[in-house]
Amino acid sequence: MRFFVNIDHVATVREARKTDEPDPVRAAVLAELAGVDGITVHLREDRRHIQDRDVHLLAETIRTPLNLELAVVDAIVDIACDLRPHQATIVPESRQEITTEGGLDLSTPQAVERVRPVVERLQGHGVRTSLFIDPDPGALEASAALGVDAVELHTGEYAHARGAAAGRQVERLQAAAGQGRELGLAVHAGHGLTYENVTPVAAIEPIEELNIGHSVVSRAVLVGMEAAVREMAALLRRARGGPS
Ligand code: PXP
């Protein structure tokens, strides 16, 4: 199982002040030192968190694979083709949403034809290409027919489900992961996974890569709070000639 950490929300904190900290590039390097297998960022059309500078610096700096999430938007696809990250994951995007709300719509021939040229352009530039889809048989078949390398199963419905409904969502993910493997697709998963709910998904054997973001960044804030306060308190003491 490969663990890719999504660092979008490090950039969210930075953009709250439009300043230069915390830097997602530094966060990526620290995540690598901690043993992560790859770094994921979503360059949204509205640039609400990750900026063009971030993806360029990440591509130059990190040693693990970069997974760039992108929507079917020409200007963003141009950046991806120029940058040639290790992997691109095509996701749906709407300006109103707080976060990606569901998998790509592949339910009609028109919807599939919207995605096809992006897949062809990315693969033509040597980029491993994945589609973020709901764990449904039709979406998996459409993905395989498009010739992508991988699919990322949307785990958001599982993350929101409780009790028996969560159990049914695990079965749905299991079935989709098995179908993906049979179709020759690499199977990834992600969205809404937390320290509390990740275990049943991580146990689904055909899933080879998990993308986890918000929960890891949230935990980083809490586990880092004590050290950060100690550092600032020591600076304040030293400013008045006290012990550090
Ligand atoms: N996978 C995809 C395709 C996403 O769009 C996101 C959110 O940007 C994630 C995984 C990570 O989701 P979360 O931040 O809830 O862990």
Side-chain angles (χ1 to χ4, degrees):
M1 170 69 78
R2 298 186 297 274
F3 167 31
F4 276 50
V5 68
N6 179 317
I7 53 170
D8 290 349
H9 296 303
V10 176
T12 300
V13 176
R14 178 191 61 193
E15 294 307 307
R17 283 291 177 91
K18 298 279 175 213
T19 178
D20 60 2
E21 67 170 5
D23 184 351
V25 182
R26 292 188 186 202
V29 172
L30 292 175
E32 287 186 320
L33 289 173
V36 85
D37 298 301
I39 303 292
T40 297
V41 287
H42 184 174
L43 185 64
R44 295 187 76 106
E45 195 180 10
D46 64 11
R47 307 297 200 276
R48 68 173 69 158
H49 39 52
I50 292 294
Q51 306 295 312
D52 298 47
R53 165 263 185 213
D54 301 329
V55 287
H56 283 103
L57 277 180
L58 283 167
E60 282 177 22
T61 309
I62 64 173
R63 299 281 176 90
T64 57
L66 175 64
N67 173 37
L68 180 64
E69 294 178 359
L70 77 167
V72 178
V73 172
D74 285 344
I76 307 283
V77 179
D78 289 346
I79 293 171
C81 289
D82 181 41
L83 212 63
R84 296 176 194 230
H86 167 80
Q87 179 170 290
T89 301
I90 305 175
V91 301
E93 192 176 299
S94 91
R95 280 179 184 255
Q96 290 77 34
E97 68 192 0
I98 291 174
T99 181
T100 315
E101 280 167 357
L104 274 175
D105 177 13
L106 299 175
S107 62
T108 63
Q110 294 87 329
V112 171
E113 291 315 314
R114 219 179 126 249
V115 175
R116 189 186 304 280
V118 181
V119 171
E120 287 174 356
R121 275 194 73 195
L122 290 167
Q123 289 185 330
H125 282 81
V127 179
R128 188 172 191 267
T129 303
S130 176
L131 300 181
F132 185 53
I133 60 168
D134 291 321
D136 293 328
L140 280 145
E141 278 158 25
S143 301
L146 275 167
V148 289
D149 304 278
V151 288
E152 180 177 338
L153 302 177
H154 179 42
T155 51
E157 280 193 56
Y158 159 72
H160 286 124
R162 295 288 171 268
R168 285 194 294 278
Q169 290 295 334
V170 172
E171 286 166 15
R172 184 180 168 206
L173 288 162
Q174 265 163 345
Q179 185 190 353
R181 180 160 64 182
E182 275 171 27
L183 289 166
L185 295 162
V187 181
H188 312 159
H191 207 280
L193 296 176
T194 67
Y195 293 83
E196 287 74 31
N197 70 17
V198 74
T199 303
V201 175
I204 300 174
E205 201 264 318
I207 297 178
E208 57 185 71
E209 183 181 306
L210 287 183
N211 275 288
I212 311 177
H214 186 265
S215 190
V216 174
V217 174
S218 303
R219 182 142 179 85
V221 171
L222 292 192
V223 298
M225 183 60 86
E226 205 179 319
V229 169
R230 282 187 207 288
E231 283 177 25
M232 183 59 82
L235 277 177
L236 303 184
R237 280 194 301 274
R238 241 180 286 150
R240 300 283 172 98
S244 55

